[in-house]
Amino acid sequence: AQKVTQAQTEISVVEKEDVTLDCVYETRDTTYYLFWYKQPPSGELVFLIRRNSFDEQNEISGRYSWNFQKSTSSFNFTITASQVVDSAVYFCALSEASKVTGGGNKLTFGTGTQLKVEL
Amino acid sequence: DAGVTQSPTHLIKTRGQHVTLRCSPISGHKSVSWYQQVLGQGPQFIFQYYEKEERGRGNFPDRFSARQFPNYSSELNVNALLLGDSALYLCASSLVRATNEKLFFGSGTQLSVL
């Protein structure tokens, strides 16, 4: 069965530090997609990044970067030079092509990592 | 442009009552999904609707139902409320229902069952 594990429940850093959020996933599918979402105190989840299972190239987008390794089923997310506005709960999520008839985007989320960035 | 809007923002009900939650997707989005987020946990998939038809259902009892209207807005209904139904209910919309499609979430309805 599909599963997403975020072992870090809470991380505290000082502003301008780099921080890496860990994510480990389980799936039997060969085609799947991985996402990171951010949930600020206002409640709505905000899409950050997405990666498909066929593309292990790691990228950087502004202060965000990610490290996708199929061999270890990990999809870690790094924020460079953290800022107070980055304080939020971060969720890793998995979407599997086989789980919804005719396609679909049912997401399986991890339990989230609370990131606190202090001055 | 308006994002995903949900109403009401907060709701208090007692056990056994019925509740209806409403969601308006981003203009042009045809897919609406519902998620339940219990405090301290990640969101759990309840339903996905696309073009007014149910396209996916999570592991929730039949007390949970939903529908999508011709204007693509959606309602989530929960009957015979239990204490364990207390949660943040999130609605998400997307243009289509592709597996890699990113979701746009509303701020949710916080439901408290007493």
Side-chain angles (χ1 to χ4, degrees):
Chain A
Q2 70 278 15
K3 185 178 179 181
V4 176
T5 301
Q6 295 179 253
Q8 305 154 308
T9 54
E10 186 172 321
I11 300 176
S12 291
V13 298
V14 176
E15 200 176 40
K16 298 183 182 177
E17 285 186 6
D18 298 347
V19 58
T20 295
L21 309 180
D22 298 334
C23 173
V24 174
Y25 62 92
E26 295 177 27
T27 178
R28 294 178 182 172
D29 279 22
T30 56
T31 301
Y32 54 89
Y33 297 84
L34 294 161
F35 299 79
W36 277 95
Y37 282 84
K38 170 183 178 180
Q39 187 175 39
S42 55
E44 83 281 11
L45 282 89
V46 178
F47 167 83
L48 296 175
I49 58 174
R50 128 188 87 189
R51 176 60 65 197
N52 72 61
S53 54
F54 296 105
D55 184 0
E56 289 192 70
Q57 181 178 354
N58 296 311
E59 293 185 15
I60 297 173
S61 176
R63 295 189 298 111
Y64 299 154
S65 62
W66 49 97
N67 186 342
F68 175 36
Q69 293 191 352
K70 288 180 73 172
S71 60
T72 56
S73 296
S74 65
F75 185 51
N76 298 336
F77 174 65
T78 297
I79 303 174
T80 302
S82 60
Q83 301 174 2
V84 172
V85 293
D86 295 327
S87 297
V89 181
Y90 289 80
F91 289 97
C92 179
L94 168 69
S95 178
E96 298 163 296
S98 66
K99 287 299 182 289
V100 183
T101 302
N105 45 7
K106 168 196 169 184
L107 294 178
T108 298
F109 285 87
T111 51
T113 298
Q114 172 79 60
L115 173 64
K116 295 183 178 179
V117 182
E118 300 169 335
L119 292 171
Chain B
D1 287 343
V4 177
T5 58
Q6 293 187 242
S7 63
T9 55
H10 294 83
L11 203 52
I12 299 175
K13 292 286 189 178
T14 57
R15 282 178 295 176
Q17 285 188 314
H18 162 271
V19 68
T20 297
L21 310 181
R22 296 178 175 82
C23 171
S24 292
I26 291 173
S27 177
H29 285 195
K30 297 182 178 181
S31 176
V32 170
S33 300
W34 288 94
Y35 286 80
Q36 180 197 64
Q37 186 178 16
V38 174
L39 188 63
Q41 299 295 316
Q44 298 256 330
F45 174 77
I46 309 175
F47 288 110
Q48 182 183 31
Y49 275 76
Y50 180 73
E51 291 286 11
K52 301 178 289 295
E53 291 188 14
E54 182 183 305
R55 303 291 182 162
R57 184 185 184 108
N59 188 24
F60 280 81
D62 292 343
R63 299 185 296 107
F64 289 77
S65 64
R67 54 179 176 170
Q68 187 177 32
F69 299 99
N71 66 353
Y72 302 109
S73 66
S74 177
E75 284 182 354
L76 175 69
N77 295 284
V78 187
N79 292 323
L81 285 167
L82 303 174
L83 295 179
D85 295 330
S86 296
L88 179 67
Y89 289 84
L90 294 163
C91 174
S93 75
S94 59
L95 276 170
V96 293
R97 55 184 176 91
T99 306
N100 65 338
E101 192 78 3
K102 65 182 181 182
L103 299 181
F104 294 82
F105 285 83
S107 297
T109 294
Q110 184 65 57
L111 172 65
S112 298
V113 182
L114 305 179

